[in-house]
Amino acid sequence: MTSRKVPVLIVGAGPVGLALAGDLGWRGVQCCLVEKTDGAIYQPRMDMVGVRTMEFCRRWGIAGWVENSPYPRDYPQDNVWLESLTGFEFGRERMASKNEEPCPPQSPQKRERCPQDMFDPILRRFAGQFSAVEFRYRTELIDLEEGRTSVTAMLRDLVTGQEEKVVADYLVGTDGAASVVREKLGIPMRGEPVLTYTTNVIFRCRDLPSLHDKGKAYRFIFIGREGTWLTIVAIDGADRWRMSIIGDKSKREIPESEIRALIVRAMGKPFEFEIESIMPWVRRELVAESYGTDRVFLAGDACHLMSPTGGFGMNTGIADAIDLSWKLEAVVEGWGGPELLRSYGIERKPVAERAVKEASGNLGRMLAARKKGPPDIAFQSGPDGDAARKEYGDWYTETMKREWYSTGIHLGFDYYHSPVVYSDNTPAPPDEVSDYVQTARPGHRAPHAWLKDGRSTLDLFGRGFVLVCFAEAGTVGDSFAAEARKRGFPLRLTDLSDEAKIRELYGADYVLVRPDGHVAWRGNAQPESVGHVIDVVRGLAARRAGTRLAGADHQFVKEQAIPAGGTQ
């Protein structure tokens, strides 16, 4: 048996594990990523890369890789509700192709359509750029033991059968719904274990749109007299389609003969197709009781499971990875205190609970047709049938809008009550779903705005902390710089004193932004103790009660880098 040491061991190389490994590598933190499979994706479980995830891709320099994935950018993204592809249509939500859809005003990026079998290789390619990242496929975790100063993991190479002991400073389980890491920690999941039993079927038919009159669309929702019974999604905009047979809470195995009959029913006539794979699965509404221990953490599906309605699952998981990554960097490099990693679950668990609840609500709205199915006349030709279909379709369209437009869910989560955020006693903004009003209230994502030089404000953040100065730095900037040097705290001062409109958006003369792009502190004057503010946001001190913004008159500061490496 061999033995080795690594700062961070990541178990599970799905999109969340790959994103965590990539971000750690981007930060120069050594990590090892192990995955029990060969990494191939046979049933892509996600296809929407949310706007916040795209902002992370922009930070990493790979947004263009996602935008130029094989998914056709001219493919219409309509959602259609109908009896069958050759039968009656009740209504649709017309949505632009990725070429035509504009970026929302709150972001320099927009959501993208990039199925998992396209997105995972992009993240793998990104993480593979860094020598700090080691990949170990066909390797499984068989046991772990957490000590006071390290975690000992037992791994098995599934090709050779050889076992290996790895001693890690920290271990992260990104190993999905059946997480071995979560099981070893004994952490239970809380919530609803079964929403529906569903069966996904990938089938191939190259000329499917030519066989019906409904045109190209991203998603078809099939509604019969029994209500919603099936969905079909265009996986790649070419010849692969994912059919989801939506059951209820009763578990049953669907034979292939029945699956074939359902595909034909969805078309409304016989046609040629090829079944590629069949995967039964369960929609759940679960969040882990805890996100980990002192040295072992959970992220992604290992700690939250939700219905895919809304596309929140993977995107919530990648935000987990971003929150955890910079904190791991801080403690590995020595400038982060003990509260920093403890804040991970405090910050991320409420975000998951919010997303899980919204996803379940979306599922309920999609299945609302089971309680309010179309009237019989809606399945008949003629003017009365047309009128009934329009009335029903208009109702269903309005019911479904909340799922299609959810910028607030993707951008509106916050960490205001985190122990490593210096709150300022300002009121919380409304928590909206379909819209998001940007705010620089501590704990919230620092707002996007276009700078005069053409960059987004988001392009300023990512590596270390940034003190954005909308007024002269003066003693405020000098004090932050000096206290940062003493602590080896990575800080950069950035001058935006000529950006008055952005100052209004950020709401203060000085705004301290974390490496994950969330605001840590803001104020109009030097705080009573700059050192204490820094110690709070790096997890080394308990925060004091926040004070309301104080007035100050400052005007100018040049951008200045404060390197790490001082004494703590």
Side-chain angles (χ1 to χ4, degrees), residues 127-184:
Q129 296 179 125
F130 306 108
S131 60
V133 179
E134 177 189 0
F135 296 93
R136 295 280 303 278
Y137 286 93
R138 301 291 294 159
T139 301
E140 68 174 344
L141 174 75
I142 55 177
D143 202 3
L144 68 87
E145 181 179 350
E146 181 177 6
R148 189 178 62 82
T149 60
S150 64
V151 182
T152 300
M154 297 301 299
L155 307 179
R156 178 187 292 127
D157 187 312
L158 295 177
V159 176
T160 66
Q162 182 177 357
E163 294 186 359
E164 177 184 13
K165 181 170 71 173
V166 174
V167 179
D169 293 329
Y170 301 96
L171 185 148
V172 185
T174 56
D175 50 343
S179 172
V180 174
V181 175
R182 188 184 68 237
E183 178 188 346
K184 295 294 183 184

Side-chain angles (χ1 to χ4, degrees), residues 21-346:
D23 198 64
L24 286 171
W26 184 72
R27 298 181 183 283
V29 178
Q30 293 281 336
C31 63
C32 177
L33 177 62
V34 300
E35 165 60 44
K36 65 181 180 181
T37 73
D38 62 3
I41 305 297
Y42 300 102
Q43 276 258 4
R45 300 189 181 190
M46 54 70 55
D47 56 22
M48 197 272 281
V49 183
V51 60
R52 185 59 175 149
T53 303
M54 284 304 299
E55 290 176 354
F56 300 141
C57 291
R58 178 187 180 93
R59 173 191 300 178
W60 296 329
I62 65 170
W65 299 4
V66 181
E67 294 162 354
N68 294 312
S69 75
Y71 193 94
R73 296 190 65 75
D74 60 352
Y75 198 87
Q77 295 296 294
D78 292 7
N79 291 271
V80 185
W81 11 107
L82 67 170
E83 175 198 20
S84 70
L85 290 168
T86 56
F88 294 117
E89 178 179 319
F90 301 110
R92 67 174 63 207
E93 183 76 18
R94 296 190 181 276
M95 304 186 76
S97 69
K98 303 319 296 179
N99 270 342
E100 299 166 326
E101 183 182 6
C103 292
Q106 304 96 330
S107 179
Q109 299 293 149
K110 60 186 176 185
R111 59 188 176 186
E112 295 291 343
R113 190 70 65 193
C114 187
Q116 187 179 358
D117 53 354
M118 301 177 189
F119 191 54
D120 276 19
I122 288 172
L123 293 176
R124 170 68 174 84
R125 176 184 166 197
F126 164 63
Q129 296 179 125
F130 306 108
S131 60
V133 179
E134 177 189 0
F135 296 93
R136 295 280 303 278
Y137 286 93
R138 301 291 294 159
T139 301
E140 68 174 344
L141 174 75
I142 55 177
D143 202 3
L144 68 87
E145 181 179 350
E146 181 177 6
R148 189 178 62 82
T149 60
S150 64
V151 182
T152 300
M154 297 301 299
L155 307 179
R156 178 187 292 127
D157 187 312
L158 295 177
V159 176
T160 66
Q162 182 177 357
E163 294 186 359
E164 177 184 13
K165 181 170 71 173
V166 174
V167 179
D169 293 329
Y170 301 96
L171 185 148
V172 185
T174 56
D175 50 343
S179 172
V180 174
V181 175
R182 188 184 68 237
E183 178 188 346
K184 295 294 183 184
L185 294 178
I187 296 175
M189 299 286 273
R190 304 297 187 193
E192 182 58 56
V194 177
L195 297 175
T196 70
Y197 285 96
T198 299
T199 299
N200 279 4
V201 180
I202 305 294
F203 70 94
R204 288 185 178 271
C205 180
R206 179 170 295 280
D207 298 319
L208 187 68
S210 69
L211 301 179
H212 59 78
D213 63 353
K214 302 303 184 290
K216 293 180 177 180
Y218 161 66
R219 186 182 187 189
F220 297 94
I221 299 178
F222 294 86
I223 302 175
R225 286 176 171 81
E226 73 272 46
T228 312
W229 61 281
L230 189 83
T231 67
I232 290 180
V233 166
I235 291 182
D236 61 1
D239 66 340
R240 297 181 77 213
W241 309 84
R242 181 177 67 237
M243 179 177 80
S244 296
I245 305 167
I246 309 169
D248 53 25
K249 294 189 177 185
S250 303
K251 184 178 182 179
R252 78 180 188 93
E253 185 176 340
I254 303 177
E256 185 172 328
S257 59
E258 184 178 340
I259 289 172
R260 289 184 175 275
L262 291 173
I263 294 175
V264 171
R265 178 188 171 187
M267 173 58 75
K269 65 180 182 182
F271 71 109
E272 295 295 322
F273 60 88
E274 173 191 350
I275 293 180
E276 184 177 290
S277 62
I278 300 171
M279 184 184 73
W281 61 285
V282 186
R283 296 175 196 261
R284 305 184 190 275
E285 183 184 312
L286 296 171
V287 177
E289 186 176 86
S290 164
Y291 271 34
T293 62
D294 288 344
R295 291 187 173 272
V296 183
F297 305 94
L298 303 173
D301 285 357
C303 54
H304 46 72
L305 295 167
M306 63 193 81
S307 171
T309 38
F312 306 137
M314 181 211 70
N315 294 289
T316 302
I318 288 187
D320 294 340
I322 297 299
D323 184 281
L324 185 57
S325 177
W326 75 269
K327 294 173 180 177
L328 287 169
E329 175 194 21
V331 294
V332 168
E333 294 192 353
W335 57 266
E339 290 302 313
L340 202 55
L341 286 174
R342 290 175 194 157
S343 73
Y344 165 65
I346 295 171

Side-chain angles (χ1 to χ4, degrees), residues 520-543:
W521 168 90
R522 66 174 176 172
N524 288 331
Q526 182 170 312
E528 179 181 346
S529 171
V530 171
H532 183 261
V533 170
I534 290 177
D535 286 344
V536 167
V537 302
R538 70 187 182 118
L540 205 66
R543 73 181 175 189

